[in-house]
Amino acid sequence: MSGYGNYNKQTGGRRRPNQVKSKSNSDNSSGGMYSGYGRSARSNYSSNSGSRSRGYSGGRSRGPKKQGRGQYIDPAKFVREATPVKQEDYTPAHTFNDFKVADVLKLNLASNGYEIPSPVQDQTIPLGLEGKDIIGIANTGTGKTVAFGLPVLNKLMTDRSAKALIIAPTRELAQQIDDEFRKVAKGSGLAAAILIGGTPMGPQLRSLRGNPQIVIGTPGRVKDHITRGSFRAKNFNIIVLDEVDRMLDMGFVDDVTAILGELAEERQSFFFSATMEPRIQSLIQTFAKDPVTVSVKTGDTSDNVHQNVVEYRGRTEKIDKLHDLLIQDSVEKTIIFHDTQRAVEELARELHSRGFKSDAIHGAKTQVQRQRALNKFKKSEINILVATDVAARGIDVKDITHVVNYTVPQTYADYTHRIGRAGRAGKTGYALTFVEVGY
Ligand code: AMP
């Protein structure tokens, strides 16, 4: 196995990074948007990324080194050519104009450059508009937010007694859903409360008192509000569970079940998940009514990602190889995964001192700090984000070219989540995993 590209041919003194390539980016949607759409502060359930062990350490031996705690993953599994699924392979049956939704929603889609419905949108929107319960099997990055967002927003605009609760596993994903809703619902007069972790309850309580038609939140905080009586869920007759598989992986099954039990009995449900295992099926069967399944799993995100390993011997060579990789021209925007909060901080500082435009994101940072780093990354003010697994869940930045696994992930499932950050929106990405070899 060889390292990726030609960076390992370089020796001696290291070239300093060039300035960040400036690229305007439509991802940044944090600006003030649609009238009446109230925003509240975020809340917390802490991520536990800091509790992970370091990937590997200790004495040297021949061949790939042991990978520390967690599952042993054969390094050969980190090497794979991309087999991109071409966008042209799918011909949508609809245009956005075909959908019977409020004009303002169509205008907003168009002004944000959404011209052709993605497969999940093409198949989900008509069923959603009919009021059907839907199970969507789709990855992040396939356009599923608009797939449920368009029918939900249209229903809320046409039926002022309707209310929608949207649950996501992480605060970042909840925030992204809010960002996407802001774009599509601009000028609709709808209001939302965001019930996520990291900041005080006060602003959330205030926005709930405004009687919003939309509540977007993470399971822990939504449940807290229900328990303390500040959020009355029984009028909510539309429910969206996004990334159900991750929600269950993260141990939220009891919270989610409790929340579903509080909703209006007559309701429409949207359940989205990348996988459909028995435990997810049983949750859905309990709460959905004659659901229709829409599956767009064929374009697995990782199919769009070239995967390879970077072999190194010892700490010095490791950071030097990372440096050489990051100064390559093809590397535009990179997320680097490391195993602990401390390691993430240290690496981000090291890269910063070497002249790279980098920042760190992990569970010990406040929500404001995380969001600030993420916004800088989206706006290309920095082009390197060093992250732990948990902090990076749900991050959707369209133009990430490279995912670097500076430490080997704990499980192959973590690996798949990580590399799914690259290769979005039909683009080919690169995933490079550092593997230590003996002398
Ligand atoms: P999602 O899977 O909802 O997180 O969406 C992935 C990304 O694709 C988001 O950044 C959206 O803004 C973008 N997107 C969603 N639908 C479309 C569309 N029909 N045309 C172009 N971009 C889209």
Side-chain angles (χ1 to χ4, degrees), residues 110-122:
S111 66
N112 280 291
Y114 295 12
E115 287 165 9
I116 303 160
S118 70
V120 69
Q121 292 163 356
D122 191 44

Side-chain angles (χ1 to χ4, degrees), residues 102-389:
D103 286 344
V104 66
L105 302 176
K106 287 184 190 168
L107 283 172
N108 289 336
L109 287 171
S111 66
N112 280 291
Y114 295 12
E115 287 165 9
I116 303 160
S118 70
V120 69
Q121 292 163 356
D122 191 44
Q123 295 170 48
T124 306
I125 292 168
L127 297 166
L129 290 170
E130 281 175 36
K132 294 244 169 22
D133 280 5
I134 292 168
I135 300 170
I137 305 177
N139 296 309
T140 302
T142 51
K144 62 189 164 57
T145 314
V146 165
F148 65 75
L150 201 62
V152 167
L153 291 168
N154 190 63
K155 173 79 176 161
L156 298 175
M157 288 182 72
T158 50
D159 175 357
R160 288 291 168 166
S161 68
K163 286 172 184 286
L165 173 63
I166 296 152
I167 309 270
T170 63
R171 12 194 208 199
E172 277 76 17
L173 185 58
Q175 193 63 56
Q176 274 169 211
I177 294 170
D178 179 45
D179 290 345
E180 192 83 338
F181 268 40
R182 274 169 188 276
K183 289 189 208 163
V184 182
K186 188 176 174 184
S188 65
L190 296 169
I194 316 300
L195 309 182
I196 57 179
T199 48
M201 292 289 244
Q204 298 183 6
L205 295 172
R206 268 197 300 283
S207 66
L208 283 170
R209 281 197 289 273
N211 201 15
Q213 295 97 324
I214 304 166
V215 170
I216 303 172
T218 45
R221 185 53 72 102
V222 170
K223 170 86 184 321
D224 282 355
H225 278 285
I226 291 176
T227 307
R228 58 190 284 165
S230 45
F231 173 43
R232 278 183 299 282
K234 73 171 186 334
N235 296 331
F236 280 68
N237 55 1
I238 302 172
I239 174 77
V240 179
L241 294 188
D242 202 2
E243 306 206 347
V244 183
D245 48 345
R246 284 197 207 168
M247 224 133 38
L248 300 194
D249 283 348
M250 291 169 79
F252 288 130
V253 65
D254 291 342
D255 286 346
V256 169
T257 309
I259 294 166
L260 289 171
E262 295 287 326
L263 300 168
E265 281 195 7
E266 273 302 308
R267 61 175 182 253
Q268 183 179 15
S269 307
F270 295 82
F271 297 106
F272 281 90
S273 183
T275 57
M276 200 38 72
E277 309 134 49
R279 65 198 174 120
I280 300 171
Q281 262 164 350
S282 83
L283 180 86
I284 290 173
Q285 265 153 20
T286 314
F287 291 102
K289 212 173 52 198
D290 303 328
V292 185
T293 301
V294 169
S295 178
V296 293
K297 270 299 283 180
T298 44
D300 206 338
T301 335
S302 59
D303 290 343
N304 289 335
V305 180
H306 284 296
Q307 301 166 51
N308 212 335
V309 293
V310 176
E311 295 181 343
Y312 71 95
R313 291 170 179 78
R315 269 176 86 95
T316 311
E317 189 176 87
K318 187 178 189 187
I319 185 71
D320 286 346
K321 283 202 166 181
L322 179 65
H323 183 120
D324 291 343
L325 164 67
L326 294 174
I327 56 174
Q328 285 184 53
D329 282 344
S330 62
V331 180
E332 290 183 6
K333 201 174 267 193
T334 307
I335 184 158
I336 302 176
F337 285 96
H338 214 339
D339 51 1
T340 65
Q341 295 172 351
R342 200 157 117 209
V344 163
E345 277 295 326
E346 283 170 8
L347 182 59
R349 260 203 305 277
E350 172 69 27
L351 293 175
H352 192 72
S353 74
R354 288 171 178 245
F356 290 101
K357 305 268 188 193
S358 60
D359 207 339
I361 162 167
H362 55 69
K365 294 219 166 197
T366 65
Q367 181 59 20
V368 171
Q369 290 171 322
R370 285 159 71 155
Q371 200 56 48
R372 195 180 299 138
L374 199 53
N375 283 342
K376 282 195 287 179
F377 191 52
K378 283 185 172 182
K379 285 195 262 179
S380 299
E381 288 167 14
I382 57 170
N383 69 337
I384 297 166
L385 194 62
V386 190
T388 53
D389 284 289

